[in-house]
């Protein structure tokens, strides 16, 4: 069995996929648009901005090593041997990716012919079926083909999709932002009538859970503006150096009528730190109200507890 010292393996890991294919398998590359390429074998595998993502399989990465292992099914040793052998035969010309502040194109995954798996998954998380259907009807949610992931969409003011998050509908807990997503346009439900307040959540699942809780209490959930941060917001070590989450900052700039912000972030260390940072940054301009759930880690956890649905968090608390 061949042996490669750590420094050789590290160099193999550093080679990006575009550099590898352009140097050693140029016939496998097909120009897609601007700085984006696809592979001839897999036309849903796109390479751009130094990264690659295989949309039909919901896997991606940066390096050629990851590509050979995840796509070509090479063993780790075979992948290292392939890259090292290629470099020894012909030192590569390096192709640096063009850095972009804002991706120019959101590459939405293909839609499945129905949304059955998505509905079943979300209902299993306690979310109201009618709310789910309304989101589907308004192209805010759909089922990905062929993996059956649920895709949450965010739009800009011109109704153009600018953000997408995939989440597994099985037990894998798979989560993946789609390439080209911009967090400023994260998943949200806008009130039918203009409001002077907005409710903030870490995830789309928590947002939909809150809407369901309101419906259970016979409240008009559709008359509240609900905004997802598209994941955990991480403030700076020194709170004074923190910046607002992109989604919240953009929303407030677009809605100058907002006076109150309700924070429904998680009951964990990250959620509490995020809450304190947002309160600090906005204390002089808005009424910021911390409103975490009384039981459980997050809004969905609380909803499931209220409905008697067993969740992973609930099971862990029983131990």
């Amino acid at each position: 069995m061949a042996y490669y010292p750590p420094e050789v393996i590290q160099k193999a890991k550093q080679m990006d996929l575009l550099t590898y294919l352009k140097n050693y398998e140029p016939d496998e590359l097909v120009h897609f648009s601007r700085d984006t390429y696809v592979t001839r074998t897999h036309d849903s595998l796109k390479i751009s901005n130094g990264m690659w993502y295989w949309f039909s399989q919901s896997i991606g990465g940066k390096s050629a090593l990851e590509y050979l292992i995840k796509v070509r099914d090479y063993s780790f040793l075979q992948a290292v041997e392939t890259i090292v052998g290629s470099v020894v035969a012909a030192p590569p010309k390096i192709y640096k990716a063009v850095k972009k502040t804002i991706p120019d194109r959101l590459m939405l995954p293909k839609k499945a012919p129905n949304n059955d798996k998505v509905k079943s998954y979300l209902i299993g998380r306690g979310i109201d079926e009618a709310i789910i259907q309304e989101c589907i009807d308004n192209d805010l949610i759909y089922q990905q083909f062929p993996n059956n992931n649920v895709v949450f969409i965010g739009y800009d003011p011109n109704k153009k999709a600018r953000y997408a998050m995939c989440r597994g509908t099985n037990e894998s807990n798979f989560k993946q932002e789609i390439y080209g997503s911009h967090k400023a346009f994260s998943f949200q439900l806008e009130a039918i009538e203009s409001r002077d307040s907005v409710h903030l959540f870490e995830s789309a699942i928590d947002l939909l859970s809150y809407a369901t809780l309101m419906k259970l209490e016979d409240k008009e959930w559709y008359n509240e503006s609900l905004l997802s941060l598209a994941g955990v917001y991480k403030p700076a070590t020194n709170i004074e150096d923190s910046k607002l989450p992109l989604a919240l900052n953009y929303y407030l700039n677009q809605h100058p009528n907002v006076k109150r912000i309700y924070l429904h972030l998680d009951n964990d260390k990250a959620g509490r730190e995020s809450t304190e940072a947002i309160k600090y940054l906005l204390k002089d301009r808005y009424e910021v109200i911390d409103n975490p759930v009384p039981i459980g880690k997050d809004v969905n956890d609380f909803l499931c507890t209220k409905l008697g649905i067993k969740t992973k968090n609930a099971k862990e608390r029983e131990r």
Side-chain angles (χ1 to χ4, degrees):
M1 181 180 292
Y3 168 77
Y4 294 101
E7 59 271 20
V8 173
I9 293 176
Q10 185 60 33
K11 286 184 178 180
K13 288 181 177 179
Q14 290 173 352
M15 181 175 290
D16 65 277
L17 181 56
L18 182 61
T19 294
Y20 173 78
L21 291 178
K22 276 201 169 187
N23 280 278
Y24 307 117
E25 298 184 36
D27 291 340
E28 182 65 8
L29 273 179
V30 178
H31 188 248
F32 180 74
S33 67
R34 296 185 66 179
D35 299 310
T36 301
Y37 293 83
V38 298
T39 63
R40 195 172 300 279
T41 304
H42 306 290
D43 60 5
S44 70
L45 193 155
K46 292 183 171 60
I47 306 165
S48 183
N49 201 25
M51 306 293 291
W52 63 267
Y53 190 78
W54 193 6
F55 285 90
S56 68
Q57 301 300 315
S58 297
I59 57 175
K62 180 179 181 180
S63 69
L65 191 72
E66 292 171 299
Y67 165 81
L68 292 173
I69 293 171
K70 295 179 181 179
V71 179
R72 298 277 183 85
D73 292 325
Y74 285 23
S75 68
F76 177 80
L77 184 57
Q78 287 175 320
V80 172
E81 287 178 339
T82 300
I83 294 172
V84 172
S86 298
V87 171
V88 170
K93 177 181 178 182
I94 304 301
Y95 293 88
K96 292 185 178 180
V98 178
K99 293 185 178 180
K100 304 174 185 178
T101 303
I102 301 177
D104 61 347
R105 182 177 180 183
L106 176 63
M107 299 178 182
L108 287 174
K110 186 177 180 180
K111 288 185 177 182
N114 60 63
N115 294 287
D116 294 349
K117 295 288 186 181
V118 162
K119 287 183 179 179
S120 177
Y121 168 73
L122 293 177
I123 290 172
R125 297 291 297 266
I127 298 169
D128 181 80
E129 185 173 4
I131 294 176
I132 298 169
Q133 188 60 55
E134 181 158 337
C135 289
I136 291 172
D137 292 342
N138 286 284
D139 295 321
L140 293 168
I141 291 175
Y142 71 84
Q143 185 168 312
Q144 180 187 5
F145 178 85
N147 308 86
N148 298 324
N149 296 322
V150 54
V151 183
F152 299 99
I153 308 294
Y155 293 87
D156 66 16
N158 296 318
K159 304 302 180 184
K160 179 180 179 180
R162 296 290 303 279
Y163 178 86
M165 163 69 82
C166 277
R167 187 175 185 130
T169 56
N170 51 28
E171 297 298 322
S172 67
N173 199 31
F174 169 79
K175 299 175 186 176
Q176 177 75 56
E177 279 190 349
I178 297 303
Y179 176 76
S181 288
H182 195 299
K183 285 183 181 291
F185 306 98
S186 60
F187 181 84
Q188 64 180 283
L189 297 180
E190 191 64 36
I192 294 176
E193 299 176 359
S194 180
R195 307 290 289 182
D196 63 0
S197 63
V198 61
H199 296 258
L200 205 63
F201 308 87
E202 286 187 16
S203 70
I205 293 285
D206 284 338
L207 185 158
L208 295 172
S209 298
Y210 186 79
T212 299
L213 286 166
M214 290 192 69
K215 186 173 180 180
L216 289 173
E217 296 173 2
D218 294 323
K219 294 180 180 178
E220 297 178 338
W221 62 270
Y222 44 81
N223 269 330
E224 295 292 341
S225 294
L226 313 178
L227 175 67
S228 163
L229 289 181
V232 178
Y233 157 63
K234 295 181 181 179
T237 303
N238 296 320
I239 195 169
E240 298 86 356
D241 299 327
S242 299
K243 295 182 180 180
L244 282 177
L246 282 175
L248 178 58
N249 188 59
Y250 182 79
Y251 186 90
L252 294 176
N253 286 333
Q254 294 293 308
H255 298 80
N257 58 306
V258 170
K259 298 176 181 178
R260 290 186 306 281
I261 302 169
Y262 294 90
L263 305 180
H264 306 278
L265 307 185
D266 289 6
N267 278 326
D268 56 11
K269 184 175 183 292
R272 295 300 87 208
E273 289 178 349
S274 299
T275 295
E276 291 306 311
I278 293 172
K279 287 169 62 179
Y280 175 82
L281 293 170
L282 297 178
K283 62 184 179 181
D284 297 328
R285 291 181 286 160
Y286 300 90
E287 180 184 1
V288 184
I289 302 162
D290 182 17
N291 189 19
V293 291
I295 299 173
K297 174 183 175 292
D298 53 38
V299 184
N300 182 251
D301 195 19
F302 176 62
L303 171 64
C304 289
T305 300
K306 190 179 183 71
L307 295 176
I309 298 173
K310 287 288 185 179
T311 66
K312 180 179 179 181
N313 291 332
K315 290 176 182 176
E316 288 176 348
R317 288 198 301 272
E318 291 175 356
R319 294 174 184 173

